[in-house]
Amino acid sequence: MDWFKRHYLSIDPRTLGLARILIGLLLLADLSLRLASVELWYSNTGLLPNHTSMWQPSRFRSFSVFWMCSHWEEAAALMLLIALAYLGLLVGYRTRLCQILSLLGVVSLQSRTDMLSSGGDFVLAILLWWTAFLPLGRRLSLDAVLSDLRRHQDYDDDDLARARQRACNVSPVVSLAVFAALMQLALIYFFNAVSKDGSTWKDGTAAHYFLQRELIITSFGLWLRQHASLELSYLLTYGTLLIEGLLPLLILSPVGRPWTHRTAIILICVLHVAIALMSNIGIFSYVMIVFSALLVTREDWETLRRWGSRARRVLVLYNGDSGLCLEIARWLSRLDLLGRLELRNAARLAELPPGVDRTLVDRTLVAVSSEPNSTPTTGIQAVALTVACLPGGYPCGLLLLTPGLRHLGDAACSALARRRIRWSTLLGLPPGGAEGRPTDDHESPEVAPAPLVLRLRGYGRTASEGLVVFLVAVSSMQLCLETRVIPDFLKPDPMPGWTKAVVGYTRLHQGWQMFSPDPPQTELLIVVDAVTTTGRHVDPLAEMGGYRSAPEAPEIPVRPGLDSLWTAYHARLPENWPHFRPLKEWIERYHERTGVAEDRIVSWRAHLLEHDLPRPGEKERRRRRHQILDGSADL
């Protein structure tokens, strides 16, 4: 049991902190894209009005706070509130609460536009579910720093050194959710690999058809398509199968760690960076890279720490007679996880470094690099040098040295140094050294929680682990139902209604079979030919999607550059006929969006264009066809 616990149930809390930061960045990026088109997808004047989306059988078992939003201003306000939860998760402030709110926000955003959801959306929701049971804020977070600041008071350099040691000493997190997350990551790649059993994957031409997709290809993918040989298609196709086949073994293998996990992280990054460069399929590539952060081991962190101890160190001189300066030093000691800062109270040093006198320390912050022949830096340069030594602080240090911020920073440092005693008094911050340490200072014994509190905590942990087991069982049933390669006798038939409800509300879908058994070999796009009162032909869909079309001679353009939401809309609209009426109403409101009365639409037609992709060695599209939908028809 100890062996299983060590390999499959334990995770370093610093790894959870890294995953939390990456998840927060990904959530904010996804939200910014949705906010940019909030009126189009989240209001009743857009293409997916809530009164149409809600009254569909597939939407009955879904949750979204956006169902109550009719106007884009209401949806935008909700998105801004969700952004606050994402920011709290990113910095690790009230982390547990922000985890729950972020999960509700993701489920709400995706359920409101479920017709446009992609595999990356489902993986993101699943990642948030499994990490919801893990303490993401135990390390690399504001919560961790604030908790240690409240429990321990520092008065001298020795106290600061002990604070840094406490920040670096970690004990592993043990939970069934760790095993669930690792299994989920392995199963995604396993079933994606075994489901690719079509002819194009066997003969090596799958990558060729992938690069022929106009709606998802990027500019780099287009360039690659124009210069790619058939041999490159073989390499990309079989390379994808090889990587996806190896990853489950590397993720779950108990032998060879940490190198198996390191290899898995590298292969995941290589695979998905290549996919992201060639295609725009939403956030799938990015969320899988973020998911792989859970594979970082304790040995990796120790290696990074040893590297940090050998890297350039910086001596930071602060004025200990100021409570404000001491408080800044306390924060730095807890953020310096790599041990690259040496914090010293200049008032307690018998000898200052060459080129530094006490008058200089009184005027501003001073930092001295350990590099040979380095000169002391002051002001904002010292701040930038100090910040650059913190984990992930190098970009922030460069930003502080930009021309505008540099002058403002120098002025702020000088002003703060002159008024440091006054600000310390106003904030109630005691000075360092003997003057600040209480005469009866001693370590207060930690008060043990009451027996009732301990019992309630135990019940909470048991309930949390039980919920993980329940969700694992539901996910397993859904995996058997959705995955084509699983034998029929293993599929639950019929699927219990309560299981459908749980999957619908939680979005724990498990259909891992992207581009299988073969990549799509047809392309579909909706082109609108609308005529205004002045006789001008326009395509409102093309204008909103950011590409050009020829309404009078409809044809799928080369790489229209649609984002993932627009691509999903074009692909799935023919299968969702109730949404043609909102499209009709949206087109006929064209003049309201342009603000020009002459742009009123008098007639229009929607062309559903489709063609087969060129075969290997061919350039021309095959079997072009389209269906015309009359704008005057009652759809």
Side-chain angles (χ1 to χ4, degrees), residues 19 22-23 26 99 103 120-134 136 181 184 188 286-292 294 507-508:
L22 295 177
I23 290 172
L26 182 62
Q99 283 180 259
L103 177 58
D121 296 321
F122 292 117
V123 178
L124 179 60
I126 290 170
L127 175 60
L128 287 178
W129 270 109
W130 297 135
T131 56
F133 301 96
L134 298 172
L136 300 185
Q184 181 71 78
I188 290 174
Y286 307 103
V287 72
M288 295 308 298
I289 293 175
V290 171
F291 212 142
S292 71
L294 295 177
R507 300 185 66 79
L508 288 174

PDB file of all heavy atoms in Angstrom, residues 19 22-23 26 99 103 120-134 136 181 184 188 286-292 294 507-508:
ATOM      1  N   ALA A  19       0.538  24.045 -11.234  1.00  0.00           N
ATOM      2  CA  ALA A  19      -0.663  23.742 -12.020  1.00  0.00           C
ATOM      3  C   ALA A  19      -1.725  24.822 -11.824  1.00  0.00           C
ATOM      4  O   ALA A  19      -2.402  25.214 -12.781  1.00  0.00           O
ATOM      5  CB  ALA A  19      -1.206  22.370 -11.629  1.00  0.00           C
ATOM      6  N   LEU A  22      -0.832  27.902 -13.950  1.00  0.00           N
ATOM      7  CA  LEU A  22      -1.063  27.660 -15.375  1.00  0.00           C
ATOM      8  C   LEU A  22      -2.557  27.587 -15.683  1.00  0.00           C
ATOM      9  O   LEU A  22      -3.018  28.092 -16.718  1.00  0.00           O
ATOM     10  CB  LEU A  22      -0.361  26.377 -15.801  1.00  0.00           C
ATOM     11  CG  LEU A  22       1.166  26.392 -15.712  1.00  0.00           C
ATOM     12  CD1 LEU A  22       1.730  25.028 -16.102  1.00  0.00           C
ATOM     13  CD2 LEU A  22       1.754  27.478 -16.599  1.00  0.00           C
ATOM     14  N   ILE A  23      -3.326  26.950 -14.796  1.00  0.00           N
ATOM     15  CA  ILE A  23      -4.779  26.887 -14.995  1.00  0.00           C
ATOM     16  C   ILE A  23      -5.374  28.286 -14.967  1.00  0.00           C
ATOM     17  O   ILE A  23      -6.242  28.624 -15.787  1.00  0.00           O
ATOM     18  CB  ILE A  23      -5.424  25.992 -13.920  1.00  0.00           C
ATOM     19  CG1 ILE A  23      -5.042  24.524 -14.146  1.00  0.00           C
ATOM     20  CG2 ILE A  23      -6.941  26.128 -13.936  1.00  0.00           C
ATOM     21  CD1 ILE A  23      -5.476  23.604 -13.013  1.00  0.00           C
ATOM     22  N   LEU A  26      -4.667  30.027 -18.232  1.00  0.00           N
ATOM     23  CA  LEU A  26      -5.478  29.454 -19.307  1.00  0.00           C
ATOM     24  C   LEU A  26      -6.928  29.890 -19.199  1.00  0.00           C
ATOM     25  O   LEU A  26      -7.574  30.221 -20.203  1.00  0.00           O
ATOM     26  CB  LEU A  26      -5.378  27.928 -19.263  1.00  0.00           C
ATOM     27  CG  LEU A  26      -6.139  27.166 -20.351  1.00  0.00           C
ATOM     28  CD1 LEU A  26      -5.610  27.533 -21.735  1.00  0.00           C
ATOM     29  CD2 LEU A  26      -6.031  25.671 -20.123  1.00  0.00           C
ATOM     30  N   GLN A  99     -11.344  28.089  -6.347  1.00  0.00           N
ATOM     31  CA  GLN A  99     -11.424  26.832  -7.095  1.00  0.00           C
ATOM     32  C   GLN A  99     -12.873  26.489  -7.414  1.00  0.00           C
ATOM     33  O   GLN A  99     -13.220  26.124  -8.543  1.00  0.00           O
ATOM     34  CB  GLN A  99     -10.793  25.694  -6.289  1.00  0.00           C
ATOM     35  CG  GLN A  99      -9.277  25.680  -6.296  1.00  0.00           C
ATOM     36  CD  GLN A  99      -8.733  24.532  -5.475  1.00  0.00           C
ATOM     37  OE1 GLN A  99      -8.308  24.706  -4.334  1.00  0.00           O
ATOM     38  NE2 GLN A  99      -8.749  23.343  -6.044  1.00  0.00           N
ATOM     39  N   LEU A 103     -14.663  26.665 -11.133  1.00  0.00           N
ATOM     40  CA  LEU A 103     -15.318  25.489 -11.705  1.00  0.00           C
ATOM     41  C   LEU A 103     -16.739  25.819 -12.141  1.00  0.00           C
ATOM     42  O   LEU A 103     -17.169  25.446 -13.248  1.00  0.00           O
ATOM     43  CB  LEU A 103     -15.306  24.356 -10.686  1.00  0.00           C
ATOM     44  CG  LEU A 103     -16.027  23.062 -11.088  1.00  0.00           C
ATOM     45  CD1 LEU A 103     -15.437  22.492 -12.371  1.00  0.00           C
ATOM     46  CD2 LEU A 103     -15.963  22.045  -9.968  1.00  0.00           C
ATOM     47  N   GLY A 120     -11.175  20.319 -26.048  1.00  0.00           N
ATOM     48  CA  GLY A 120     -10.419  21.077 -25.060  1.00  0.00           C
ATOM     49  C   GLY A 120     -11.287  21.628 -23.954  1.00  0.00           C
ATOM     50  O   GLY A 120     -10.859  21.698 -22.792  1.00  0.00           O
ATOM     51  N   ASP A 121     -12.529  22.015 -24.260  1.00  0.00           N
ATOM     52  CA  ASP A 121     -13.445  22.510 -23.239  1.00  0.00           C
ATOM     53  C   ASP A 121     -13.758  21.421 -22.221  1.00  0.00           C
ATOM     54  O   ASP A 121     -13.781  21.671 -21.008  1.00  0.00           O
ATOM     55  CB  ASP A 121     -14.731  23.015 -23.889  1.00  0.00           C
ATOM     56  CG  ASP A 121     -14.502  24.216 -24.790  1.00  0.00           C
ATOM     57  OD1 ASP A 121     -13.684  25.078 -24.412  1.00  0.00           O
ATOM     58  OD2 ASP A 121     -15.115  24.284 -25.862  1.00  0.00           O
ATOM     59  N   PHE A 122     -14.010  20.214 -22.705  1.00  0.00           N
ATOM     60  CA  PHE A 122     -14.327  19.121 -21.787  1.00  0.00           C
ATOM     61  C   PHE A 122     -13.114  18.754 -20.931  1.00  0.00           C
ATOM     62  O   PHE A 122     -13.255  18.482 -19.733  1.00  0.00           O
ATOM     63  CB  PHE A 122     -14.814  17.908 -22.573  1.00  0.00           C
ATOM     64  CG  PHE A 122     -16.145  18.122 -23.244  1.00  0.00           C
ATOM     65  CD1 PHE A 122     -16.256  18.079 -24.623  1.00  0.00           C
ATOM     66  CD2 PHE A 122     -17.275  18.391 -22.501  1.00  0.00           C
ATOM     67  CE1 PHE A 122     -17.470  18.287 -25.244  1.00  0.00           C
ATOM     68  CE2 PHE A 122     -18.505  18.601 -23.116  1.00  0.00           C
ATOM     69  CZ  PHE A 122     -18.605  18.550 -24.491  1.00  0.00           C
ATOM     70  N   VAL A 123     -11.923  18.760 -21.521  1.00  0.00           N
ATOM     71  CA  VAL A 123     -10.726  18.444 -20.739  1.00  0.00           C
ATOM     72  C   VAL A 123     -10.509  19.502 -19.657  1.00  0.00           C
ATOM     73  O   VAL A 123     -10.135  19.183 -18.514  1.00  0.00           O
ATOM     74  CB  VAL A 123      -9.484  18.347 -21.647  1.00  0.00           C
ATOM     75  CG1 VAL A 123      -8.242  18.076 -20.807  1.00  0.00           C
ATOM     76  CG2 VAL A 123      -9.654  17.239 -22.668  1.00  0.00           C
ATOM     77  N   LEU A 124     -10.764  20.766 -19.982  1.00  0.00           N
ATOM     78  CA  LEU A 124     -10.592  21.833 -18.998  1.00  0.00           C
ATOM     79  C   LEU A 124     -11.548  21.648 -17.831  1.00  0.00           C
ATOM     80  O   LEU A 124     -11.151  21.785 -16.661  1.00  0.00           O
ATOM     81  CB  LEU A 124     -10.821  23.188 -19.668  1.00  0.00           C
ATOM     82  CG  LEU A 124     -10.700  24.412 -18.755  1.00  0.00           C
ATOM     83  CD1 LEU A 124      -9.317  24.489 -18.133  1.00  0.00           C
ATOM     84  CD2 LEU A 124     -11.010  25.691 -19.525  1.00  0.00           C
ATOM     85  N   ALA A 125     -12.801  21.344 -18.111  1.00  0.00           N
ATOM     86  CA  ALA A 125     -13.769  21.113 -17.039  1.00  0.00           C
ATOM     87  C   ALA A 125     -13.356  19.926 -16.182  1.00  0.00           C
ATOM     88  O   ALA A 125     -13.442  19.968 -14.939  1.00  0.00           O
ATOM     89  CB  ALA A 125     -15.162  20.904 -17.624  1.00  0.00           C
ATOM     90  N   ILE A 126     -12.900  18.850 -16.817  1.00  0.00           N
ATOM     91  CA  ILE A 126     -12.478  17.666 -16.072  1.00  0.00           C
ATOM     92  C   ILE A 126     -11.257  17.973 -15.210  1.00  0.00           C
ATOM     93  O   ILE A 126     -11.166  17.541 -14.047  1.00  0.00           O
ATOM     94  CB  ILE A 126     -12.187  16.516 -17.054  1.00  0.00           C
ATOM     95  CG1 ILE A 126     -13.498  16.028 -17.680  1.00  0.00           C
ATOM     96  CG2 ILE A 126     -11.461  15.372 -16.373  1.00  0.00           C
ATOM     97  CD1 ILE A 126     -13.306  15.073 -18.829  1.00  0.00           C
ATOM     98  N   LEU A 127     -10.305  18.723 -15.749  1.00  0.00           N
ATOM     99  CA  LEU A 127      -9.117  19.098 -14.971  1.00  0.00           C
ATOM    100  C   LEU A 127      -9.511  19.890 -13.732  1.00  0.00           C
ATOM    101  O   LEU A 127      -8.974  19.672 -12.634  1.00  0.00           O
ATOM    102  CB  LEU A 127      -8.163  19.912 -15.856  1.00  0.00           C
ATOM    103  CG  LEU A 127      -6.925  20.498 -15.176  1.00  0.00           C
ATOM    104  CD1 LEU A 127      -6.059  19.397 -14.578  1.00  0.00           C
ATOM    105  CD2 LEU A 127      -6.115  21.337 -16.166  1.00  0.00           C
ATOM    106  N   LEU A 128     -10.462  20.800 -13.876  1.00  0.00           N
ATOM    107  CA  LEU A 128     -10.901  21.589 -12.722  1.00  0.00           C
ATOM    108  C   LEU A 128     -11.639  20.719 -11.707  1.00  0.00           C
ATOM    109  O   LEU A 128     -11.553  20.968 -10.494  1.00  0.00           O
ATOM    110  CB  LEU A 128     -11.798  22.730 -13.188  1.00  0.00           C
ATOM    111  CG  LEU A 128     -11.086  23.876 -13.905  1.00  0.00           C
ATOM    112  CD1 LEU A 128     -12.080  24.927 -14.360  1.00  0.00           C
ATOM    113  CD2 LEU A 128     -10.045  24.520 -13.005  1.00  0.00           C
ATOM    114  N   TRP A 129     -12.355  19.703 -12.183  1.00  0.00           N
ATOM    115  CA  TRP A 129     -13.039  18.815 -11.239  1.00  0.00           C
ATOM    116  C   TRP A 129     -12.040  18.025 -10.400  1.00  0.00           C
ATOM    117  O   TRP A 129     -12.170  17.972  -9.170  1.00  0.00           O
ATOM    118  CB  TRP A 129     -13.957  17.844 -11.996  1.00  0.00           C
ATOM    119  CG  TRP A 129     -15.346  18.378 -12.180  1.00  0.00           C
ATOM    120  CD1 TRP A 129     -15.923  18.804 -13.332  1.00  0.00           C
ATOM    121  CD2 TRP A 129     -16.329  18.556 -11.158  1.00  0.00           C
ATOM    122  NE1 TRP A 129     -17.210  19.235 -13.107  1.00  0.00           N
ATOM    123  CE2 TRP A 129     -17.483  19.093 -11.776  1.00  0.00           C
ATOM    124  CE3 TRP A 129     -16.359  18.303  -9.785  1.00  0.00           C
ATOM    125  CZ2 TRP A 129     -18.647  19.383 -11.066  1.00  0.00           C
ATOM    126  CZ3 TRP A 129     -17.514  18.596  -9.069  1.00  0.00           C
ATOM    127  CH2 TRP A 129     -18.638  19.129  -9.711  1.00  0.00           C
ATOM    128  N   TRP A 130     -11.043  17.399 -11.027  1.00  0.00           N
ATOM    129  CA  TRP A 130     -10.106  16.595 -10.250  1.00  0.00           C
ATOM    130  C   TRP A 130      -9.248  17.455  -9.334  1.00  0.00           C
ATOM    131  O   TRP A 130      -8.927  17.037  -8.212  1.00  0.00           O
ATOM    132  CB  TRP A 130      -9.234  15.758 -11.177  1.00  0.00           C
ATOM    133  CG  TRP A 130      -9.981  14.758 -12.006  1.00  0.00           C
ATOM    134  CD1 TRP A 130      -9.811  14.512 -13.339  1.00  0.00           C
ATOM    135  CD2 TRP A 130     -11.013  13.852 -11.576  1.00  0.00           C
ATOM    136  NE1 TRP A 130     -10.670  13.531 -13.779  1.00  0.00           N
ATOM    137  CE2 TRP A 130     -11.422  13.099 -12.707  1.00  0.00           C
ATOM    138  CE3 TRP A 130     -11.640  13.605 -10.362  1.00  0.00           C
ATOM    139  CZ2 TRP A 130     -12.418  12.129 -12.649  1.00  0.00           C
ATOM    140  CZ3 TRP A 130     -12.636  12.637 -10.303  1.00  0.00           C
ATOM    141  CH2 TRP A 130     -13.015  11.915 -11.425  1.00  0.00           C
ATOM    142  N   THR A 131      -8.849  18.628  -9.785  1.00  0.00           N
ATOM    143  CA  THR A 131      -8.026  19.489  -8.920  1.00  0.00           C
ATOM    144  C   THR A 131      -8.851  20.206  -7.857  1.00  0.00           C
ATOM    145  O   THR A 131      -8.281  20.776  -6.924  1.00  0.00           O
ATOM    146  CB  THR A 131      -7.271  20.528  -9.764  1.00  0.00           C
ATOM    147  OG1 THR A 131      -8.202  21.282 -10.558  1.00  0.00           O
ATOM    148  CG2 THR A 131      -6.260  19.859 -10.673  1.00  0.00           C
ATOM    149  N   ALA A 132     -10.188  20.187  -7.984  1.00  0.00           N
ATOM    150  CA  ALA A 132     -11.026  20.812  -6.949  1.00  0.00           C
ATOM    151  C   ALA A 132     -10.878  20.108  -5.609  1.00  0.00           C
ATOM    152  O   ALA A 132     -11.175  20.700  -4.560  1.00  0.00           O
ATOM    153  CB  ALA A 132     -12.487  20.808  -7.392  1.00  0.00           C
ATOM    154  N   PHE A 133     -10.432  18.854  -5.611  1.00  0.00           N
ATOM    155  CA  PHE A 133     -10.270  18.087  -4.377  1.00  0.00           C
ATOM    156  C   PHE A 133      -8.840  18.168  -3.840  1.00  0.00           C
ATOM    157  O   PHE A 133      -8.515  17.470  -2.874  1.00  0.00           O
ATOM    158  CB  PHE A 133     -10.645  16.625  -4.627  1.00  0.00           C
ATOM    159  CG  PHE A 133     -12.053  16.430  -5.115  1.00  0.00           C
ATOM    160  CD1 PHE A 133     -12.318  16.303  -6.465  1.00  0.00           C
ATOM    161  CD2 PHE A 133     -13.115  16.423  -4.222  1.00  0.00           C
ATOM    162  CE1 PHE A 133     -13.607  16.129  -6.929  1.00  0.00           C
ATOM    163  CE2 PHE A 133     -14.412  16.258  -4.668  1.00  0.00           C
ATOM    164  CZ  PHE A 133     -14.666  16.113  -6.019  1.00  0.00           C
ATOM    165  N   LEU A 134      -8.002  18.984  -4.458  1.00  0.00           N
ATOM    166  CA  LEU A 134      -6.598  19.083  -4.062  1.00  0.00           C
ATOM    167  C   LEU A 134      -6.290  20.493  -3.564  1.00  0.00           C
ATOM    168  O   LEU A 134      -6.852  21.470  -4.070  1.00  0.00           O
ATOM    169  CB  LEU A 134      -5.692  18.743  -5.249  1.00  0.00           C
ATOM    170  CG  LEU A 134      -5.839  17.325  -5.804  1.00  0.00           C
ATOM    171  CD1 LEU A 134      -5.048  17.177  -7.101  1.00  0.00           C
ATOM    172  CD2 LEU A 134      -5.389  16.301  -4.781  1.00  0.00           C
ATOM    173  N   LEU A 136      -4.625  23.372  -3.961  1.00  0.00           N
ATOM    174  CA  LEU A 136      -3.782  24.078  -4.925  1.00  0.00           C
ATOM    175  C   LEU A 136      -3.084  25.292  -4.325  1.00  0.00           C
ATOM    176  O   LEU A 136      -2.135  25.809  -4.913  1.00  0.00           O
ATOM    177  CB  LEU A 136      -4.627  24.520  -6.121  1.00  0.00           C
ATOM    178  CG  LEU A 136      -5.333  23.430  -6.929  1.00  0.00           C
ATOM    179  CD1 LEU A 136      -6.012  24.032  -8.151  1.00  0.00           C
ATOM    180  CD2 LEU A 136      -4.365  22.334  -7.339  1.00  0.00           C
ATOM    181  N   ALA A 181      -6.609  12.027 -11.494  1.00  0.00           N
ATOM    182  CA  ALA A 181      -6.061  12.952 -12.499  1.00  0.00           C
ATOM    183  C   ALA A 181      -5.032  12.251 -13.385  1.00  0.00           C
ATOM    184  O   ALA A 181      -5.020  12.443 -14.610  1.00  0.00           O
ATOM    185  CB  ALA A 181      -5.442  14.160 -11.799  1.00  0.00           C
ATOM    186  N   GLN A 184      -6.828   9.909 -15.700  1.00  0.00           N
ATOM    187  CA  GLN A 184      -7.544  10.656 -16.732  1.00  0.00           C
ATOM    188  C   GLN A 184      -6.599  11.078 -17.846  1.00  0.00           C
ATOM    189  O   GLN A 184      -6.909  10.915 -19.037  1.00  0.00           O
ATOM    190  CB  GLN A 184      -8.183  11.896 -16.109  1.00  0.00           C
ATOM    191  CG  GLN A 184      -8.985  12.738 -17.075  1.00  0.00           C
ATOM    192  CD  GLN A 184     -10.270  12.065 -17.488  1.00  0.00           C
ATOM    193  OE1 GLN A 184     -11.231  12.059 -16.756  1.00  0.00           O
ATOM    194  NE2 GLN A 184     -10.300  11.499 -18.680  1.00  0.00           N
ATOM    195  N   ILE A 188      -6.875   9.623 -21.776  1.00  0.00           N
ATOM    196  CA  ILE A 188      -7.102  10.513 -22.920  1.00  0.00           C
ATOM    197  C   ILE A 188      -6.195  10.113 -24.080  1.00  0.00           C
ATOM    198  O   ILE A 188      -6.637   9.974 -25.231  1.00  0.00           O
ATOM    199  CB  ILE A 188      -6.873  11.983 -22.518  1.00  0.00           C
ATOM    200  CG1 ILE A 188      -7.988  12.456 -21.584  1.00  0.00           C
ATOM    201  CG2 ILE A 188      -6.803  12.882 -23.754  1.00  0.00           C
ATOM    202  CD1 ILE A 188      -7.773  13.848 -21.030  1.00  0.00           C
ATOM    203  N   TYR A 286      -3.461  23.578 -25.459  1.00  0.00           N
ATOM    204  CA  TYR A 286      -2.970  24.324 -24.296  1.00  0.00           C
ATOM    205  C   TYR A 286      -3.398  23.664 -22.989  1.00  0.00           C
ATOM    206  O   TYR A 286      -2.616  23.601 -22.027  1.00  0.00           O
ATOM    207  CB  TYR A 286      -3.479  25.759 -24.364  1.00  0.00           C
ATOM    208  CG  TYR A 286      -3.157  26.428 -25.681  1.00  0.00           C
ATOM    209  CD1 TYR A 286      -4.140  26.594 -26.651  1.00  0.00           C
ATOM    210  CD2 TYR A 286      -1.870  26.849 -25.967  1.00  0.00           C
ATOM    211  CE1 TYR A 286      -3.843  27.185 -27.876  1.00  0.00           C
ATOM    212  CE2 TYR A 286      -1.561  27.438 -27.181  1.00  0.00           C
ATOM    213  CZ  TYR A 286      -2.557  27.599 -28.135  1.00  0.00           C
ATOM    214  OH  TYR A 286      -2.261  28.166 -29.342  1.00  0.00           O
ATOM    215  N   VAL A 287      -4.622  23.153 -22.941  1.00  0.00           N
ATOM    216  CA  VAL A 287      -5.077  22.536 -21.697  1.00  0.00           C
ATOM    217  C   VAL A 287      -4.350  21.213 -21.452  1.00  0.00           C
ATOM    218  O   VAL A 287      -4.085  20.846 -20.300  1.00  0.00           O
ATOM    219  CB  VAL A 287      -6.607  22.342 -21.718  1.00  0.00           C
ATOM    220  CG1 VAL A 287      -7.031  21.241 -22.659  1.00  0.00           C
ATOM    221  CG2 VAL A 287      -7.122  22.042 -20.315  1.00  0.00           C
ATOM    222  N   MET A 288      -3.958  20.505 -22.520  1.00  0.00           N
ATOM    223  CA  MET A 288      -3.201  19.275 -22.315  1.00  0.00           C
ATOM    224  C   MET A 288      -1.797  19.578 -21.796  1.00  0.00           C
ATOM    225  O   MET A 288      -1.252  18.830 -20.962  1.00  0.00           O
ATOM    226  CB  MET A 288      -3.121  18.482 -23.621  1.00  0.00           C
ATOM    227  CG  MET A 288      -4.463  17.961 -24.124  1.00  0.00           C
ATOM    228  SD  MET A 288      -5.407  17.032 -22.897  1.00  0.00           S
ATOM    229  CE  MET A 288      -4.319  15.662 -22.571  1.00  0.00           C
ATOM    230  N   ILE A 289      -1.198  20.658 -22.268  1.00  0.00           N
ATOM    231  CA  ILE A 289       0.115  21.055 -21.743  1.00  0.00           C
ATOM    232  C   ILE A 289       0.000  21.434 -20.274  1.00  0.00           C
ATOM    233  O   ILE A 289       0.849  21.064 -19.447  1.00  0.00           O
ATOM    234  CB  ILE A 289       0.687  22.211 -22.580  1.00  0.00           C
ATOM    235  CG1 ILE A 289       1.022  21.727 -23.998  1.00  0.00           C
ATOM    236  CG2 ILE A 289       1.930  22.793 -21.921  1.00  0.00           C
ATOM    237  CD1 ILE A 289       1.477  22.827 -24.928  1.00  0.00           C
ATOM    238  N   VAL A 290      -1.065  22.165 -19.918  1.00  0.00           N
ATOM    239  CA  VAL A 290      -1.284  22.521 -18.519  1.00  0.00           C
ATOM    240  C   VAL A 290      -1.522  21.263 -17.686  1.00  0.00           C
ATOM    241  O   VAL A 290      -1.017  21.145 -16.563  1.00  0.00           O
ATOM    242  CB  VAL A 290      -2.474  23.494 -18.408  1.00  0.00           C
ATOM    243  CG1 VAL A 290      -2.863  23.710 -16.953  1.00  0.00           C
ATOM    244  CG2 VAL A 290      -2.131  24.827 -19.057  1.00  0.00           C
ATOM    245  N   PHE A 291      -2.297  20.326 -18.223  1.00  0.00           N
ATOM    246  CA  PHE A 291      -2.568  19.065 -17.515  1.00  0.00           C
ATOM    247  C   PHE A 291      -1.259  18.335 -17.206  1.00  0.00           C
ATOM    248  O   PHE A 291      -1.103  17.720 -16.136  1.00  0.00           O
ATOM    249  CB  PHE A 291      -3.468  18.184 -18.384  1.00  0.00           C
ATOM    250  CG  PHE A 291      -4.418  17.309 -17.600  1.00  0.00           C
ATOM    251  CD1 PHE A 291      -5.701  17.081 -18.054  1.00  0.00           C
ATOM    252  CD2 PHE A 291      -4.023  16.709 -16.417  1.00  0.00           C
ATOM    253  CE1 PHE A 291      -6.589  16.272 -17.347  1.00  0.00           C
ATOM    254  CE2 PHE A 291      -4.890  15.895 -15.696  1.00  0.00           C
ATOM    255  CZ  PHE A 291      -6.172  15.680 -16.171  1.00  0.00           C
ATOM    256  N   SER A 292      -0.309  18.392 -18.131  1.00  0.00           N
ATOM    257  CA  SER A 292       0.952  17.676 -17.930  1.00  0.00           C
ATOM    258  C   SER A 292       1.776  18.251 -16.789  1.00  0.00           C
ATOM    259  O   SER A 292       2.718  17.596 -16.314  1.00  0.00           O
ATOM    260  CB  SER A 292       1.780  17.705 -19.219  1.00  0.00           C
ATOM    261  OG  SER A 292       2.289  19.006 -19.488  1.00  0.00           O
ATOM    262  N   LEU A 294       0.967  18.395 -13.854  1.00  0.00           N
ATOM    263  CA  LEU A 294       0.765  17.520 -12.695  1.00  0.00           C
ATOM    264  C   LEU A 294       1.795  16.393 -12.642  1.00  0.00           C
ATOM    265  O   LEU A 294       1.876  15.684 -11.637  1.00  0.00           O
ATOM    266  CB  LEU A 294      -0.647  16.937 -12.720  1.00  0.00           C
ATOM    267  CG  LEU A 294      -1.794  17.935 -12.560  1.00  0.00           C
ATOM    268  CD1 LEU A 294      -3.133  17.233 -12.684  1.00  0.00           C
ATOM    269  CD2 LEU A 294      -1.696  18.663 -11.224  1.00  0.00           C
ATOM    270  N   ARG A 507     -20.297  17.962 -16.842  1.00  0.00           N
ATOM    271  CA  ARG A 507     -19.551  17.959 -18.097  1.00  0.00           C
ATOM    272  C   ARG A 507     -18.369  16.989 -18.054  1.00  0.00           C
ATOM    273  O   ARG A 507     -17.307  17.247 -18.629  1.00  0.00           O
ATOM    274  CB  ARG A 507     -19.082  19.365 -18.471  1.00  0.00           C
ATOM    275  CG  ARG A 507     -20.225  20.341 -18.641  1.00  0.00           C
ATOM    276  CD  ARG A 507     -19.773  21.689 -19.124  1.00  0.00           C
ATOM    277  NE  ARG A 507     -19.230  21.648 -20.463  1.00  0.00           N
ATOM    278  CZ  ARG A 507     -19.964  21.603 -21.582  1.00  0.00           C
ATOM    279  NH1 ARG A 507     -21.284  21.578 -21.508  1.00  0.00           N
ATOM    280  NH2 ARG A 507     -19.383  21.582 -22.771  1.00  0.00           N
ATOM    281  N   LEU A 508     -18.574  15.860 -17.393  1.00  0.00           N
ATOM    282  CA  LEU A 508     -17.539  14.828 -17.329  1.00  0.00           C
ATOM    283  C   LEU A 508     -17.668  13.870 -18.514  1.00  0.00           C
ATOM    284  O   LEU A 508     -17.697  12.646 -18.358  1.00  0.00           O
ATOM    285  CB  LEU A 508     -17.638  14.054 -16.004  1.00  0.00           C
ATOM    286  CG  LEU A 508     -17.207  14.811 -14.751  1.00  0.00           C
ATOM    287  CD1 LEU A 508     -17.502  13.996 -13.503  1.00  0.00           C
ATOM    288  CD2 LEU A 508     -15.720  15.151 -14.813  1.00  0.00           C
TER     289      LEU A 508
END
